[in-house]
Amino acid sequence: MANYLNDISRTFGEFLFIPGLTTKECLPINVSLKTPLVKHQKDKRSKIELNIPFVSAIMQSVSGPELAIGLARNGGLSFIFGSQSIDSQVEMVKKVKKFKAGFVVSDSNLTPDNTLEDVINLVKRTEHSTIGITHDGTPNGKLLGMVTNRDYRPEKDAPNKKVSEFMTPFNKLHFGRLGISLTDANQIIWDNKLNTLPIIDDDDNLMYFVFRKDYDSHRENPDELSGEDKSLLVGAGINSRDYVERVPALVDAGVDVLCIDSSDGYSEWQRDTLQWIKNKYGDTVLVGAGNVVDKDGFNYLADAGADFIKVGIGGGSICITREQKGIGRGQATALMDVAKARAEYLAKTGIYIPICSDGGLVHDYHMVLALAMGADFLMMGRYFARFDESPTKKLRIGNNYVKEYWGEGSNRAQNWQRYDTDGVEILKFEEGVDSYVPYAGKMKDNLKITLSKIKATMCSCGAVSIAQLQNTAKITLVSSTSIVEGGAHDVILKDQNR
């Protein structure tokens, strides 16, 4: 007969924290959410540390370049989805890296021979009012002038008026030379009361814009996740099919970390992918693997060279793997089992491999439970899909605004590469659904609330770091009736819309 595990597959909703001693140190302002992203020797720092323990899911409906920029600016990291062409994914990675924490590659450019009508159409399309005028209309052409919304009046100027007639010409522009520091560029902006400073090379080719508004934005993002060159950090999803072509292209684009995207990571295909990458690049290319739900899966990927390991099968809000295949495990049970295996691996090898909890989160306090149960960071899809920065459409259904959200295992995604079956380039059945999530607005506003809840919960547990939380938190199972008791009950709630 099959091997039978005599335990219960439990979810986060079945647990609560018991308060610990809240010392005078336990204030939200003192809580650090820094956490390692990739493996490291015991008592040494990880090559990459997240400033908040959040990464975005490797999904078409979640992780595009806009969300990657927004999340990195707030201290987390995105994995650009891999279910697209290599060239398309590479361009998304480059867009994040070119953001350069203040030095922005222009995506709005015209020539002097274009017209006011071209300007108006470009502004509508990009929603950017600053336009670089170059000799060939490209982002890196020879800079001849600039146009902003202060240079024309659409209601009075003729649509066919040439750009050359109303642009600010080069000889009247303030500019910085390539190699200038962000500090010096901002000083020029301040001294000359500018909104935008073009950065040009020795041949007067436009390289970047530096914006006054970004200076204020940088001050508002103290947790920004960037490298030594001040470029934002970004990850990318890969599969176990075309990694020989995809990985070198992503590495050349400047990607900081990779992750193999699969519903089941306990496979020889993932082992082969990891070993190929490590044989070719050594430790210079960092790559995570998964997903797994037990000790055996963790040890297999750890021995294969994974830099971090994702935990979770079937717990995502759009995932139907459990009902389709009967494969999976309650996220809380899976996470605790893998965390125990990670501790044994550390004791044996002296190497700490971070684990990522992927799925099963319903409430914000579930995030703290996941961290307390051993996760170093959390991968989330539904949470981020709700925001302006996600790549999906915002729709109005009835009286509510929603955003589209679909799984990588759905027919809509057509991501057959993440399933290692018989090589057929088709999904034989779905393991994900096509759905909507309630629209929630800007990422930063929502993150602020979520992180406040996390820090407050940690303080109630007597912890000011994730490591301390994992060592000191007390967790208890709850009954179905105590779950009811935990919400509003035996009262008539007021209508909040009145």
Side-chain angles (χ1 to χ4, degrees):
M1 62 174 287
N3 293 322
Y4 175 71
L5 302 182
N6 191 23
D7 63 6
I8 298 174
S9 189
R10 298 195 180 278
T11 65
F12 295 131
E14 297 177 76
F15 295 89
L16 286 175
F17 286 108
I18 294 175
L21 174 62
T22 303
T23 66
K24 293 179 180 179
E25 181 192 17
C26 292
L27 298 172
I29 196 172
N30 293 332
V31 174
S32 170
L33 295 177
K34 279 186 174 291
T35 189
L37 179 72
V38 294
K39 68 184 179 184
H40 54 91
Q41 290 287 336
K42 184 179 180 180
D43 299 326
K44 291 189 177 181
R45 294 183 62 176
S46 172
K47 288 183 178 179
I48 299 178
E49 289 184 328
L50 302 174
N51 291 324
I52 62 172
F54 292 172
V55 299
S56 66
I58 309 169
M59 301 174 67
Q60 297 171 7
S61 55
V62 178
S63 294
E66 287 75 20
L67 190 129
I69 290 170
L71 184 51
R73 301 205 72 188
N74 283 280
L77 183 134
S78 286
F79 287 92
I80 301 293
F81 66 93
S83 51
Q84 59 179 318
S85 71
I86 295 173
D87 289 343
S88 177
Q89 189 182 25
V90 161
E91 286 306 309
M92 289 187 180
V93 169
K94 286 182 177 180
K95 185 172 183 179
V96 180
K97 299 305 293 184
K98 285 179 179 178
F99 185 83
K100 201 75 174 180
F103 293 91
V104 182
V105 176
S106 175
D107 64 356
S108 299
N109 304 280
L110 293 171
T111 71
D113 292 329
N114 283 108
T115 64
L116 175 59
E117 184 177 17
D118 296 327
V119 169
I120 293 171
N121 290 336
L122 183 61
V123 170
K124 285 181 179 179
R125 188 171 73 250
T126 65
E127 298 183 353
H128 296 155
S129 59
T130 300
I131 299 173
I133 308 302
T134 60
H135 79 287
D136 58 0
T138 66
N140 299 126
K142 186 172 183 178
L143 183 64
L144 301 179
M146 282 175 52
V147 169
T148 71
N149 54 12
R150 294 180 298 180
D151 293 318
Y152 58 88
R153 296 179 295 176
E155 68 280 1
K156 292 190 176 182
D157 294 332
N160 62 352
K161 187 175 183 180
K162 294 284 188 180
V163 167
S164 58
E165 298 178 46
F166 59 88
M167 72 179 188
T168 301
F170 180 81
N171 60 7
K172 293 186 178 181
L173 292 176
H174 294 278
F175 56 82
R177 288 288 179 185
L178 186 64
I180 189 175
S181 70
L182 185 59
T183 299
D184 289 341
N186 281 315
Q187 191 61 49
I188 295 174
I189 289 174
W190 180 261
D191 291 342
N192 295 281
K193 300 180 181 180
L194 306 174
N195 288 322
T196 309
L197 181 73
I199 306 299
I200 60 177
D201 66 11
D202 291 338
D203 296 320
D204 295 342
N205 294 312
L206 176 62
M207 304 307 294
Y208 301 105
F209 281 135
V210 176
F211 296 96
R212 174 186 287 268
K213 63 181 178 63
D214 284 341
Y215 173 74
D216 296 329
S217 178
H218 292 315
R219 296 177 63 186
E220 295 170 2
N221 292 282
D223 291 327
E224 191 168 83
L225 191 67
S226 58
E228 293 181 359
D229 63 352
K230 301 302 182 183
S231 65
L232 299 178
L233 301 192
V234 64
I238 60 173
N239 60 69
S240 56
R241 303 271 185 157
D242 65 4
Y243 57 88
V244 174
E245 297 79 29
R246 188 175 294 268
V247 170
L250 291 169
V251 171
D252 289 344
V255 75
D256 296 286
V257 59
L258 303 170
C259 184
I260 306 172
D261 177 33
S262 176
S263 64
D264 178 9
Y266 189 12
S267 75
E268 292 183 345
W269 287 283
Q270 286 218 8
R271 178 202 62 193
D272 292 347
T273 304
L274 287 167
Q275 291 181 347
W276 183 88
I277 293 172
K278 293 304 179 182
N279 287 336
K280 181 175 177 63
Y281 295 102
D283 292 331
T284 61
V285 172
L286 306 171
V287 55
N291 288 19
V292 300
V293 293
D294 66 358
K295 173 181 179 179
D296 293 340
F298 172 86
N299 286 333
Y300 186 81
L301 293 179
D303 291 339
D307 288 295
F308 67 84
I309 293 174
K310 285 206 296 156
V311 178
I313 295 177
S317 60
I318 42 70
C319 183
I320 54 174
T321 296
R322 295 180 193 176
E323 66 181 58
Q324 290 284 61
K325 294 168 60 177
I327 294 289
R329 199 177 193 185
Q331 187 67 8
T333 301
L335 187 54
M336 287 187 285
D337 193 16
V338 172
K340 183 179 178 182
R342 190 257 312 278
E344 294 172 354
Y345 189 88
L346 173 63
K348 181 177 66 174
T349 66
I351 297 174
Y352 184 90
I353 301 180
I355 55 179
C356 169
S357 181
D358 180 13
L361 302 173
V362 179
H363 303 293
D364 287 351
Y365 80 89
H366 290 173
M367 300 176 187
V368 192
L369 281 168
L371 295 171
M373 290 174 178
D376 295 279
F377 56 97
L378 316 173
M379 177 172 279
M380 298 183 289
R382 179 187 61 86
Y383 181 86
F384 290 114
R386 304 172 300 146
F387 302 148
D388 287 325
E389 292 85 352
S390 75
T392 59
K393 296 178 182 177
K394 182 177 74 171
L395 306 171
R396 183 168 182 171
I397 298 181
N399 293 323
N400 300 309
Y401 282 101
V402 298
K403 294 204 76 177
E404 295 179 299
Y405 180 48
W406 61 93
E408 289 298 298
S410 67
N411 280 328
R412 179 172 183 174
Q414 285 297 304
N415 188 4
W416 57 268
Q417 295 97 332
R418 75 196 301 263
Y419 300 101
D420 297 305
T421 52
D422 52 9
V424 178
E425 298 183 9
I426 191 173
L427 289 176
K428 294 183 177 180
F429 58 89
E430 290 186 291
E431 292 187 40
V433 298
D434 194 348
S435 63
Y436 301 108
V437 289
Y439 168 67
K442 294 185 180 298
M443 179 196 302
K444 189 175 185 66
D445 298 336
N446 288 273
L447 271 177
K448 185 176 181 179
I449 296 171
T450 296
L451 295 173
S452 294
K453 290 181 183 180
I454 290 174
K455 291 179 178 181
T457 302
M458 289 174 63
C459 287
S460 292
C461 293
V464 293
S465 70
I466 294 173
Q468 190 177 11
L469 177 73
Q470 293 170 349
N471 289 328
T472 63
K474 295 179 288 185
I475 299 172
T476 181
L477 276 168
V478 295
S479 67
S480 58
T481 52
S482 67
I483 293 174
V484 174
E485 180 187 62
H489 60 89
D490 303 320
V491 294
I492 300 172
L493 296 177
K494 294 180 180 180
D495 186 350
Q496 298 298 316
N497 294 321
R498 288 183 180 179

